[in-house]
Amino acid sequence: MMLRRTFMNARRKISSTFRNQKRRFAKPAERDTKERKDIRLYLETADRSEWANLLPLGIFHGINTNPLLLQQAGISHTAPTYPELRDLVRTAVDTYEVNEIFIQAWGTTKEELVRTGLNARMFDRHVVVALPFTFEGTQAAAELIERGASVCMANSHAQKQALLASALQADYFSPCISSINESGEDAIEQCMQMQKALSGVNSEIRIMAASLKSADEVVELAKAGIKTFSVSPQVAYELAYQPLTTKEADECERITQGLMVESKQ
């Protein structure tokens, strides 16, 4: 909370001259010409207040959600039209013009996962359907990919799953960093080996590291060759705020203000 407050104070200082200007975000078609030097950051939250704070930084390729995050944001799945989920997607796409928003399909059978995945996809073409890496989830992914959906194999933990996701021709493979660490494995090493395995078969699938605990983990994973990250608001604030930089910026501003002399009338 302290980090968020400090960041917001710094942001208010920097953006004070632009408060009355409407925020603009590059449209997906415009961003196709600049792929952000191959790195992609996703904001891992369904909290629209955090979207308002962090998406204007201009560093995020999109938004990543999951059932827990939707529950925390009070978003319910009300059949048959799912109005709250649809409104969430529309806000992400229309207001913030994100490139992608991840929505996890729900159900326990292949048929249910395909049906709910298609429902999510129909909200907007920018939706990436996330699926659990179960037997049924893998079957559903194959059908959704065949139907033209963008797919992420989520909640992944093992190197062999990276190869399976590549064989499926999924767009993303998402290892859960915190779960891997909690199991006693070294998540950084595991991701390094996943990346090596995928490079060995010339796969174009993106490993999206999710459930990260700190900005340091992002840096270490980047050193291991990972280029796609899903970060919580807390990690995002940590990435954006550097105390020494803020201190020097404040000092430069203080000096600049002292140099400013009002013109004589």
Side-chain angles (χ1 to χ4, degrees):
M1 186 60 69
M2 180 64 70
L3 184 59
R4 180 179 186 276
R5 188 179 299 114
T6 304
F7 171 81
M8 292 303 297
N9 288 338
R11 178 171 171 248
R12 275 193 285 270
K13 288 181 182 179
I14 295 170
S15 62
S16 60
T17 59
F18 302 102
R19 280 177 188 157
N20 296 323
Q21 295 183 17
K22 182 180 179 181
R23 290 175 179 147
R24 296 296 299 157
F25 300 87
K27 295 181 179 179
E30 296 170 338
R31 289 192 179 185
D32 287 344
T33 61
K34 55 173 187 176
E35 281 297 317
R36 297 188 176 279
K37 297 183 179 179
D38 207 32
I39 186 172
R40 292 184 186 178
L41 293 175
Y42 292 87
L43 184 57
E44 192 175 280
T45 183
D47 184 338
R48 276 175 267 208
S49 67
E50 295 292 11
W51 292 5
N53 290 334
L54 290 164
L55 291 178
L57 283 172
I59 63 175
F60 293 102
H61 191 78
I63 295 165
N64 185 24
T65 73
N66 59 45
L68 176 59
L69 295 175
L70 293 175
Q71 180 187 57
Q72 291 172 346
I75 307 297
S76 63
H77 288 16
T78 308
T81 58
Y82 310 101
E84 293 183 11
L85 191 58
R86 183 187 298 272
D87 182 63
L88 187 79
V89 171
R90 291 262 54 90
T91 299
V93 174
D94 296 337
T95 302
Y96 297 102
E97 297 183 349
V98 298
N99 292 282
E100 293 173 317
I101 177 169
F102 289 66
I103 301 293
Q104 185 161 324
W106 57 97
T108 57
T109 67
K110 170 198 169 184
E111 291 73 23
E112 288 174 339
L113 290 167
V114 169
R115 176 174 55 80
T116 58
L118 289 174
N119 284 338
R121 181 70 174 176
M122 284 190 294
F123 294 156
D124 194 90
R125 65 183 178 87
H126 296 81
V127 169
V128 176
V129 181
L131 290 152
F133 220 145
T134 59
F135 194 83
E136 294 78 11
T138 303
Q139 289 180 319
E143 183 167 335
L144 287 166
I145 292 168
E146 181 67 24
R147 295 192 183 199
S150 297
V151 165
C152 172
M153 300 310 294
N155 307 112
S156 304
H157 301 87
Q159 297 172 39
K160 61 184 180 182
Q161 290 177 311
L163 293 175
L164 291 179
S166 180
L168 272 172
Q169 297 186 334
D171 298 274
Y172 297 90
F173 167 76
S174 185
C176 183
I177 302 304
S178 61
S179 293
I180 295 174
N181 282 331
E182 288 167 6
S183 73
E185 298 279 353
D186 183 336
I188 304 296
E189 177 63 25
Q190 284 292 319
C191 285
M192 186 183 303
Q193 295 305 319
M194 290 172 186
Q195 186 64 63
K196 185 180 295 185
L198 292 174
S199 298
V201 295
N202 296 317
S203 176
E204 296 182 359
I205 191 172
R206 280 182 173 266
I207 296 179
M208 181 174 73
S211 191
L212 296 152
K213 296 296 186 183
S214 70
D216 287 342
E217 284 187 333
V218 176
V219 173
E220 291 305 311
L221 285 164
K223 292 177 182 178
I226 307 302
K227 300 178 181 179
T228 307
F229 307 92
S230 174
V231 300
S232 68
Q234 180 62 31
V235 173
Y237 289 121
E238 190 179 341
L239 284 167
Y241 175 66
Q242 169 51 248
L244 289 177
T245 300
T246 301
K247 181 180 178 181
E248 289 190 5
D250 288 345
E251 178 63 12
C252 287
E253 179 62 21
R254 185 190 66 77
I255 294 171
T256 301
Q257 290 297 325
L259 296 173
M260 296 175 67
V261 179
E262 291 186 10
S263 59
K264 295 181 179 180
Q265 298 296 328

